[in-house]
Amino acid sequence: MSDTITSSDTLDHHEPHAKGLGRWLFTTNHKDIGTLYLIFSFVMLFIGGGMAFVIRAELFQPGLQFIQPEFFNQMTTMHGLIMVFGVVMPAFVGLANWMVPLMIGAPDMALPRMNNWSFWIMPFAFTMLLSSLFMDGGGPNFGWTFYAPLSTTYAPPSTTFFIFGVHLMGLSSIMGAINIITTVLNMRAPGMTLMKMPMFVWTWLITAFLLIAVMPVLAGCVTMMLMDIHFGTSFFNAAGGGDPVMFQHVFWFFGHPEVYIMILPAFGVVSQIIPAFARKKLFGYHSMVYATASIAILSFIVWAHHMFTVGLPAAAELFFMYSTMLIAVPTGVKVFNWVSTMFKGSMTFEAPMLFSVAFVVLFTIGGLSGLMLSIAPADFQYHDTYFVVAHFHYVLVPGAIFGIIAATYFWIPKWSGYMYNEGLAKVHFWLSFIGLNLTFFPMHFLGLAGMPRRIPDYALQFADFNMITSLGAFLFGTTQLLFLYIVIQCARGKGEPAPQKPWEGAEGLEWTVPSPAPLHTFEQPPKVD
Amino acid sequence: MLSAFVRVTKQLAVIASLLLMSWAVHAEWEVNMPKGITPISETVYDLHMIIFYICVVIAVIVFGGMFWSIIHHRKSKGHQPANFHESTTVEIIWTAIPLLILVVMAIPATQGVFAMYNSDDSDIDIQVTGYQWKWRYQFIGEDIDYFSVLATPRDQINNQATKGEHYLLEVDEPLVVPIHKKIRFLLTSNDVIHAWWVPELAVKKDAIPGFINESWTYIKEPGTYRGQCAELCGKDHGFMPIVVKAVEESEYQDWLNEKKEQRRLELAKAAAEAEQTWDLNELVTKGQQVYEKNCQACHQPTGEGLPPVFPALKGSAIIKGDIAEHIRVVLHGRTGTAMASYAAQLSDSEIASVVTYERNAWGQNSGDTVQPSDVAELR
Ligand code: HEM
Ligand SMILES: [Cu+2]
């Protein structure tokens, strides 16, 4: 099969022979664009992480030490927005750009020019968003959920920039999603039926549909804010006959599918990695596909579980409680399938596998606390406390972020042509694992004991756990510099040259092309049987 | 390998028991939800513990199976991969069993929801209104209406003084309620969304402008129960605590009478003050107190504000300009901004004095005086 891609190591006639900056600005190549997305996400990781550093430094001890409450609120808001829209989503789009064509045997993405456009919108969107921090009155300070009227009537003037930033990100995401759907549905190699697609492609296909469905809802939401702020409407202003609760319904109708957008591709990643290192086929491929689809469908009817305390009627409270409990079932199926894949395998524990195993364990902890949160009466105690902060960090950090890191170690030999330093990667893993649990586990205790979230200062009984949490956060944060170093070493060609298929148990078309993958692959479609 | 595993397990057990012991010593390391002192809080606590144990059992099974495989099915131990990769039967089993568990769990949870929502037949109704950043309590049918504000001094927050025992969880005037009575809360807000939360009562409900939410409690034991605002509501969200003092019925009656008497005196005093004419010094002194309590959270002690959301007063047009306009802003607020109306919170003499203070503070020394009668005219 590998002889189908001939020596196309150099730029050929498809590519304008741009060099230097021009190559990256005008590129329509899925691999280049994938790389751009990944670099962008990495940069944002350190910016968003720096903000988390500021937050945890302030919360290291009771009292106000370093920053004032108004700046604290800007830090939590920006941290959330950047991590969600600037780190997790672009990283997954980057992985999709690199891997989806390679995995389905396509020469490129279906809509390469739009691909370029959807990446290059991002730096502008985030420059706009970040610049608001330096404006009069500061940046957005109303939390990443930006509930009205705090984000409208009571918001700083820079909110308009925030709104346009969100519009641009949404535009980029929608275009990215259209591109992925078109590619997957139209450009599969002959013989690659839908039910033969790798799980990563499946999870991304489903994610892309979620994106197309909900990003316009977010756009509508911020547009109504814009109207309320500048054009005298009262969508969310009770004094003018509007409804602040409607804001939350609209936001979470976007927001809940959004949290699945941030995890489904990671499900896909570990579903590639665990079989490779267990040297055994993925257990229950079909049920994995159906479970992913069920999660995606259910994610549209659970949104108000974020709103159990806003005063919904009892019937609504019950509906959303039941539907949320239900979503734990397909999630459980996925976990059981991963464990069964490992069962009676022949496992080795290189870095991608370590991160994937940690993913399964820690994501499950996050899923279980999610199940606790779904019990509406109990959620009255959990809601808006550190217990919720613990829950979503357990699903997002060892979930989404570990998924991204595992994917990087798994595929970086293919991207760069060099093996990463396995010893350092193991150190990276263990320090991250310890740091992360030190950071987020005590948050469960803090929340149950009564510490609200989004506060810059706290009562004395919360002091000990906050200190542990902050120390854990500093450990976790600085450890990621090691990750940066490891990745840069690969990119610079320091390390063992990677073979075409560096992992004994790995399967899939991406391992049939040379390492590094040449700029153009599968110009002749491969045959899949 | 196995003996090494046993050795490591033993060491871990020692470490864990040490940790547990230090935990016991650190009695203040609260790790669980309080059981609380109301029927609802006990229901909630029980639900929390049931679902928690269900999660623990699931976790033990899943992680047990996983780590067993991780230990035994390694390549380094020469384990050969098996071939199976599909079984409809087990898929059905592990869909059905969790579903059953959840159905069983849903029964008590549903009962919990209905219990929480049944706020009928209350003995006492209290309207709770969130303000940026304080709470207002109005006892319906009684002539009681007051604000409850953070009592922790600023220098403790700024680390210039030792922090007291109830740092950030203390207020000037707690909410006093009787035990063994069904108390209904009617929650709303004057500005942004807040949430009124007292963990020991398991009451948490959003206070939303333009809406009235209901919640209720029935306290079984006298005591002081502390909570906080639980919905991000702007700058001082972390500084608007709630203190509920639950007392015996007789003590509650005494408090009611005292509070009503106090309110009568205040109103009488305000009326008397409104008649009086004040000199500049008196107005400025009193005005400064009013300013510190009501205005400086936003406009800052220096009068420089935090522009552009909280504009500067010092040197501003409003303070240098027309007195009537100045009074009107304080009385009625500015719609579409964070500037609230103070008509309900401050008496004529308080508004007169704070307006005078603002016109003479921060080196402006305009010499303007405002009398309570000026305010009364514009009310
Ligand atoms: C078993 C699956 C899950 C269940 C049953 C579940 C349930 C819940 C519930 C009930 C809440 C609301 C808590 C509250 O505010 O009181 C919540 C919050 C949250 N969940 Fe999950 N969850 C699950 C999985 C996930 C996943 C996979 C993610 C993302 C990767 C996620 C991300 C979040 C986030 C970000 C929030 C907090 C949003 C905010 O208020 O800022 N959850 N979850
Ligand atoms: Cu509040």
Side-chain angles (χ1 to χ4, degrees), chain B residues 2-150:
Chain B
L2 201 64
S3 70
F5 180 65
V6 171
R7 203 175 58 238
V8 171
T9 318
K10 274 188 186 153
Q11 283 167 350
L12 281 179
V14 173
I15 296 172
S17 52
L18 279 177
L19 274 177
L20 278 177
M21 271 157 60
S22 64
W23 219 287
V25 176
H26 271 270
E28 74 268 33
W29 281 29
E30 193 49 69
V31 296
N32 201 359
M33 182 189 285
K35 191 159 186 176
I37 37 77
T38 73
I40 289 292
S41 73
E42 283 162 9
T43 308
V44 165
Y45 178 83
D46 292 341
L47 283 171
H48 160 69
M49 291 317 287
I50 299 173
I51 188 74
F52 173 69
Y53 285 126
I54 291 178
C55 289
V56 170
V57 171
I58 297 174
V60 166
I61 295 170
V62 172
F63 299 155
M66 187 169 160
F67 282 103
W68 198 80
S69 313
I70 288 177
I71 290 164
H72 295 286
H73 304 153
R74 307 170 155 257
K75 194 182 178 197
S76 57
K77 295 189 70 185
H79 195 274
Q80 291 299 314
N83 234 330
F84 64 86
H85 60 83
E86 208 141 33
S87 161
T88 314
T89 324
V90 302
E91 300 286 352
I92 290 174
I93 291 174
W94 64 42
T95 309
I97 292 180
L99 199 63
L100 268 178
I101 298 176
L102 292 179
V103 169
V104 172
M105 185 63 213
I107 296 167
T110 305
Q111 289 164 343
V113 169
F114 283 127
M116 282 186 138
Y117 268 73
N118 180 9
S119 55
D120 298 346
D121 303 321
S122 57
D123 302 309
I124 298 175
D125 294 338
I126 302 174
Q127 182 174 332
V128 179
T129 311
Y131 282 70
Q132 280 183 324
W133 294 282
K134 58 197 155 203
W135 295 99
R136 178 182 186 180
Y137 300 116
Q138 288 161 288
F139 286 56
I140 296 185
E142 307 274 359
D143 192 14
I144 291 189
D145 177 354
Y146 61 97
F147 284 83
S148 178
V149 187
L150 175 75

Side-chain angles (χ1 to χ4, degrees), chain B residues 133 135 193-195 229-233 237 240:
Chain B
W133 294 282
W135 295 99
I193 302 175
H194 305 264
C229 177
E231 179 63 61
L232 177 63
C233 56
H237 163 57
M240 53 181 292

Side-chain angles (χ1 to χ4, degrees), chain A residues 304-324:
Chain A
H305 70 219
H306 298 271
M307 302 165 58
F308 281 143
T309 66
V310 299
L312 301 174
E317 202 91 346
L318 291 176
F319 172 80
F320 287 107
M321 175 170 80
Y322 301 148
S323 59
T324 306

Side-chain angles (χ1 to χ4, degrees), chain A residues 38-108:
Chain A
L38 290 169
I39 293 173
F40 176 80
S41 152
F42 217 164
V43 172
M44 295 313 277
L45 178 72
F46 285 100
I47 297 177
M51 291 172 178
F53 235 88
V54 174
I55 295 168
R56 283 321 314 177
E58 181 54 53
L59 292 174
F60 186 67
Q61 284 184 326
L64 295 179
Q65 279 73 238
F66 305 108
I67 55 174
Q68 290 303 308
E70 51 276 25
F71 189 63
F72 182 91
N73 288 345
Q74 294 172 37
M75 286 292 102
T76 49
T77 306
M78 279 293 190
H79 164 75
L81 290 170
I82 288 182
M83 288 302 185
V84 169
F85 295 106
V87 178
V88 174
M89 293 171 70
F92 282 138
V93 180
L95 290 174
N97 257 296
W98 251 104
M99 302 318 297
V100 166
L102 285 182
M103 289 175 137
I104 61 172
D108 203 314

Side-chain angles (χ1 to χ4, degrees), chain A residues 348-392:
Chain A
T348 52
F349 296 92
E350 290 88 343
M353 183 63 164
L354 284 176
F355 278 98
S356 299
V357 170
F359 172 99
V360 176
V361 175
L362 301 178
F363 171 80
T364 303
I365 293 178
L368 290 172
S369 63
L371 187 57
M372 295 177 72
L373 290 165
S374 73
I375 306 300
D379 186 68
F380 276 79
Q381 292 282 47
Y382 307 136
H383 176 66
D384 262 329
T385 69
Y386 264 82
F387 190 82
V388 172
V389 180
H391 158 68
F392 67 75

Side-chain angles (χ1 to χ4, degrees), chain B residues 52-364:
Chain B
F52 173 69
Y53 285 126
I54 291 178
C55 289
V56 170
V57 171
I58 297 174
V60 166
I61 295 170
V62 172
F63 299 155
M66 187 169 160
F67 282 103
W68 198 80
S69 313
I70 288 177
I71 290 164
H72 295 286
H73 304 153
R74 307 170 155 257
K75 194 182 178 197
S76 57
K77 295 189 70 185
H79 195 274
Q80 291 299 314
N83 234 330
F84 64 86
H85 60 83
E86 208 141 33
S87 161
T88 314
T89 324
V90 302
E91 300 286 352
I92 290 174
I93 291 174
W94 64 42
T95 309
I97 292 180
L99 199 63
L100 268 178
I101 298 176
L102 292 179
V103 169
V104 172
M105 185 63 213
I107 296 167
T110 305
Q111 289 164 343
V113 169
F114 283 127
M116 282 186 138
Y117 268 73
N118 180 9
S119 55
D120 298 346
D121 303 321
S122 57
D123 302 309
I124 298 175
D125 294 338
I126 302 174
Q127 182 174 332
V128 179
T129 311
Y131 282 70
Q132 280 183 324
W133 294 282
K134 58 197 155 203
W135 295 99
R136 178 182 186 180
Y137 300 116
Q138 288 161 288
F139 286 56
I140 296 185
E142 307 274 359
D143 192 14
I144 291 189
D145 177 354
Y146 61 97
F147 284 83
S148 178
V149 187
L150 175 75
T152 303
R154 270 280 140 190
D155 50 1
Q156 287 189 16
I157 295 170
N158 292 330
N159 306 310
Q160 287 145 355
T162 333
K163 296 180 176 34
E165 189 192 348
H166 298 301
Y167 176 69
L168 294 189
L169 297 181
E170 49 200 348
V171 295
D172 58 348
E173 292 206 61
L175 176 65
V176 179
V177 292
I179 55 170
H180 298 310
K181 282 269 151 57
K182 185 160 183 178
I183 300 160
R184 178 162 57 170
F185 300 109
L186 302 167
L187 299 119
T188 186
S189 166
N190 186 54
D191 36 53
V192 299
I193 302 175
H194 305 264
W196 197 83
W197 178 35
V198 180
E200 300 269 357
L201 312 186
V203 172
K204 181 187 283 151
K205 202 82 184 212
D206 291 3
I208 304 171
F211 281 71
I212 296 198
N213 267 334
E214 283 186 17
S215 186
W216 67 276
T217 194
Y218 179 95
I219 301 175
K220 296 199 285 194
E221 278 167 42
T224 304
Y225 307 109
R226 296 166 198 277
Q228 279 176 274
C229 177
E231 179 63 61
L232 177 63
C233 56
K235 181 168 81 70
D236 283 348
H237 163 57
F239 304 92
M240 53 181 292
I242 295 151
V243 180
V244 175
K245 214 174 131 197
V247 295
E248 302 282 351
E249 172 69 20
S250 59
E251 205 180 317
Y252 172 67
Q253 288 303 338
D254 293 345
W255 176 82
L256 269 187
N257 292 332
E258 202 179 298
K259 197 77 193 164
K260 283 184 204 163
E261 182 60 24
Q262 188 190 332
R263 186 163 162 81
R264 257 196 301 280
L265 289 176
E266 266 169 20
L267 288 176
K269 185 160 161 253
E273 283 175 355
E275 299 299 308
Q276 245 171 297
T277 312
W278 299 70
D279 71 23
L280 182 62
N281 249 338
E282 290 169 322
L283 284 167
V284 168
T285 315
K286 186 177 160 77
Q288 183 165 9
Q289 289 163 5
V290 177
Y291 184 84
E292 280 165 7
K293 198 168 160 187
N294 296 284
C295 321
Q296 79 176 18
C298 296
H299 295 293
Q300 303 297 298
T302 55
E304 283 162 0
L306 297 165
V309 180
F310 306 125
L313 298 177
K314 184 177 170 182
S316 71
I318 197 89
I319 270 177
K320 295 193 160 153
D322 182 27
I323 296 184
E325 185 51 34
H326 188 172
I327 297 173
R328 248 182 240 120
V329 171
V330 180
L331 259 183
H332 306 305
R334 276 240 168 104
T335 41
T337 75
M339 179 67 196
S341 155
Y342 283 86
Q345 295 182 53
L346 300 178
S347 68
D348 290 350
S349 61
E350 283 169 325
I351 292 183
S353 58
V354 79
V355 170
T356 309
Y357 170 73
E358 287 175 351
R359 300 182 82 85
N360 289 283
W362 317 304
Q364 303 184 119

